[in-house]
Amino acid sequence: MEKLKEMILTHGIALDGGILKVDAFLNHQISPPLMKEMGDEFARRFQGESITKILTVESSGIAPAVMTGLALGVDVVFARKKKSFTMDDSLYTARIMSFTKGEESEFYISKKFLNADDKVLIIDDFLANGQASLGLAEMVAKASATLVGIGIVIEKSFQNGRKILDEKGIHTESLARIKSLDNNTITFL
Ligand code: 5GP
């Protein structure tokens, strides 16, 4: 997606440790027109797959996931990082290792929002080592739902995630693929 690449080059900051900071349009401030374009693009790439639900994880996956849900006309569920007292007791859970925080934590989805009839598209902001995507896929499996594919806004292709998802035969679509962040320089694949 050219517009996304342009935004990454204009606003993205390549930090040490292979981390890309995109606080200006995705992870803190959010650009609605860009989110809308991304949602339309994910919908185009997964069209004809009879998707019934979008699944993401809070918080930065929510904006692109909502726009994809809008384009496909389906609801969006986000896995929560904390069990809120308003949540049902009946939950699907997965432990996910956070790439940016370096610690593992539990994620929760209420069972009433994911069931065996669902055809699920997972959306997330970044793909690094694939842990968030795999954790979400685990919850889809626990619900006996069908995983249709995974849509990623920014794939860091120099990390393991893409290879792991490909080896599992998961249809993965990334809107921007980054080959390297070496020397604090952003290079696309
Ligand atoms: P993974 O689970 O694939 O190792 O990492 C993906 C998750 O970690 C994403 O949900 C995202 O929140 C975070 N993440 C991974 N790499 C980056 C990065 O370079 N920049 C930012 N802002 N978040 C990242």
Side-chain angles (χ1 to χ4, degrees):
M1 234 187 89
E2 287 312 311
K3 176 76 186 156
L4 173 62
K5 284 177 157 181
E6 227 177 270
M7 291 289 272
I8 292 171
L9 289 177
T10 309
H11 300 286
I13 301 166
L15 302 175
D16 292 339
I19 294 183
L20 180 66
K21 186 172 159 132
V22 284
D23 279 15
F25 63 89
L26 181 61
N27 292 132
H28 192 14
Q29 175 169 262
I30 292 171
S31 164
L34 181 64
M35 294 301 134
K36 173 78 171 65
E37 222 178 288
M38 295 193 311
D40 291 344
E41 180 62 16
F42 280 131
R44 193 186 65 75
R45 293 192 191 195
F46 288 97
Q47 70 188 0
E49 300 268 18
S50 309
I51 289 158
T52 63
K53 197 144 284 186
I54 310 290
L55 179 62
T56 189
V57 55
E58 68 175 347
S59 51
S60 295
I62 295 175
V66 165
M67 289 304 175
T68 309
L70 186 65
L72 288 170
V74 300
D75 286 333
V76 178
V77 179
F78 63 92
R80 285 178 174 261
K81 291 177 184 164
K82 285 210 170 87
K83 241 192 282 184
S84 108
F85 66 86
T86 59
M87 270 182 116
D88 293 347
D89 287 336
S90 198
L91 300 165
Y92 296 117
T93 62
R95 291 193 70 79
I96 297 177
M97 170 59 88
S98 163
F99 176 77
T100 43
K101 295 195 185 82
E103 59 186 33
E104 208 181 51
S105 50
E106 198 104 18
F107 284 75
Y108 308 90
I109 300 173
S110 179
K111 283 190 179 174
K112 71 178 172 206
F113 296 131
L114 203 55
N115 61 61
D117 297 332
D118 278 320
K119 292 190 165 180
V120 182
L121 172 63
I122 289 172
I123 297 284
D124 203 8
D125 59 341
F126 273 92
L127 177 63
N129 293 320
Q131 296 308 298
S133 295
L134 290 174
L136 292 173
E138 191 185 318
M139 288 195 268
V140 173
K142 282 179 177 170
S144 304
T146 306
L147 177 62
V148 167
I150 299 180
I152 298 290
V153 177
I154 303 174
E155 171 187 317
K156 294 186 295 176
S157 310
F158 56 89
Q159 290 173 303
N160 282 336
R162 180 59 183 237
K163 188 168 166 276
I164 293 170
L165 300 183
D166 282 349
E167 280 170 3
K168 287 185 175 293
I170 299 171
H171 176 192
T172 305
E173 293 281 346
S174 307
L175 301 185
R177 303 181 78 185
I178 290 178
K179 185 167 87 175
S180 157
L181 294 174
D182 291 350
N183 305 316
N184 305 97
T185 305
I186 301 164
T187 313
F188 293 106
L189 199 69

